[in-house]
Amino acid sequence: MDFFDEAKLSVETSENSRRVEVRPNRTVFCRRSSMSVSAKLERDDISSSSSMTNILFVHGSCAASSQYDDLIRAMSMKLLETQEQIQSYPKKSKINCYSYDQLGCAESKHPASDWESFSSSNLQEDLRTIVKDGVLANSNKSSSLFLVGHSHGCSQVIQLVNSLLASDRSRIKGVILISGALKDGPGEHAKDGGHWIFKFVPMFLLRKMQPSLSQSFFQAAVHPKHRNALKERALN
């Protein structure tokens, strides 16, 4: 902490979360973590302007926005550690990290019998509404937007970008895709509908396979050095 006092760099963090009806009868749990960075060095060459960066994290199937908690926390720490970048900051920089639990996942409870509500098209429209009405509409036009997708979230992000008007798409400065299913780009296997195992294997067999599938997903999605801490947090 002494380093930051000497550099006169302050990072303030805050978090807001609430359930929002993004579309009729579709209430999802939305979160925003904000990090404000103030560079107070008395130098003539530091810009007096402010900047805002928005990052939206999109999780995959049967997951939750909380999977990004450690990443967002690490980002705030990285801001504090990057001493050589301080002089390039505007006097006020703000980073908003947005995430949400997709309908039926984690805190976005919804009746499981309402199958149509969980269709890819409905989930896609939820994401589009959150981006247009929740993020872009509440940010100045000079702000930057980055999209981060994991697993099935990669597909949703790609479809979103291609569906936006040019004026909205121009505000997206970057797309980060993590653990997407396809390795070689678009092709006949890119058709929507999910993995074949979920379409052809009977439900009672899927329930039997669930522990093994969950363990395989955990092993593939979580870095080894974070697994024990994540397990302890889940148990508590």
Side-chain angles (χ1 to χ4, degrees):
M1 289 302 295
D2 289 341
F3 156 65
F4 307 117
D5 293 338
E6 292 172 2
K8 296 182 181 178
L9 176 70
S10 64
V11 175
E12 300 175 359
T13 62
S14 64
E15 179 170 337
N16 295 313
S17 60
R18 61 194 180 105
R19 290 175 175 79
V20 180
E21 188 176 39
V22 293
R23 295 194 293 132
N25 300 317
R26 299 182 68 83
T27 300
V28 302
F29 183 69
C30 298
R31 312 166 72 194
R32 182 185 66 192
S33 299
S34 298
M35 295 169 272
S36 297
V37 185
S38 299
K40 300 177 181 177
L41 298 177
E42 295 180 357
R43 291 176 57 100
D44 294 335
D45 57 348
I46 292 182
S47 170
S48 61
S49 64
S50 62
S51 71
M52 178 182 291
T53 300
N54 299 308
I55 308 173
L56 175 64
F57 296 87
V58 184
H59 68 72
S61 299
C62 304
S65 61
S66 59
Q67 74 180 66
Y68 292 113
D69 285 355
D70 287 341
L71 176 59
I72 293 173
R73 190 176 299 111
M75 287 173 57
S76 66
M77 296 302 298
K78 193 64 177 177
L79 284 176
L80 294 174
E81 295 170 1
T82 316
Q83 179 179 9
E84 66 273 14
Q85 296 295 325
I86 292 174
Q87 294 183 9
S88 66
Y89 286 146
K91 286 188 176 179
K92 186 72 172 180
S93 297
K94 186 173 184 180
I95 299 176
N96 293 315
C97 295
Y98 295 90
S99 59
Y100 70 102
D101 293 337
Q102 297 186 32
L103 195 74
C105 295
E107 299 299 322
S108 298
K109 309 298 184 184
H110 194 81
S113 58
D114 186 13
W115 283 61
E116 181 57 31
S117 290
F118 308 114
S119 67
S120 295
S121 58
N122 269 316
L123 296 177
Q124 184 66 37
E125 191 59 32
D126 289 345
L127 172 59
R128 179 182 171 86
T129 302
I130 288 171
V131 169
K132 288 180 61 65
D133 299 341
V135 180
L136 295 180
N138 293 293
S139 305
N140 58 60
K141 292 189 176 181
S142 62
S143 63
S144 302
L145 172 61
F146 292 86
L147 300 171
V148 180
H150 172 254
S151 190
H152 183 242
C154 297
S155 173
Q156 292 178 293
V157 166
I158 291 172
Q159 292 181 65
L160 167 71
V161 173
N162 285 308
S163 70
L164 293 174
L165 295 174
S167 57
D168 290 331
R169 192 162 58 242
S170 66
R171 298 175 63 182
I172 298 175
K173 303 305 180 183
V175 171
I176 301 170
L177 306 176
I178 306 171
S179 299
L182 298 177
K183 296 181 179 179
D184 301 319
E188 63 178 48
H189 298 296
K191 295 179 180 178
D192 197 11
H195 196 284
W196 65 268
I197 194 173
F198 298 109
K199 292 188 289 184
F200 301 114
V201 176
M203 185 60 68
F204 77 93
L205 282 181
L206 286 175
R207 289 197 178 98
K208 292 286 186 181
M209 296 168 62
Q210 183 177 0
S212 176
L213 292 172
S214 297
Q215 181 64 21
S216 297
F217 179 85
F218 180 79
Q219 296 290 338
V222 181
H223 193 279
K225 72 178 183 179
H226 297 308
R227 288 173 186 167
N228 288 336
L230 196 60
K231 287 179 180 178
E232 290 177 5
R233 191 182 309 160
L235 292 174
N236 295 329

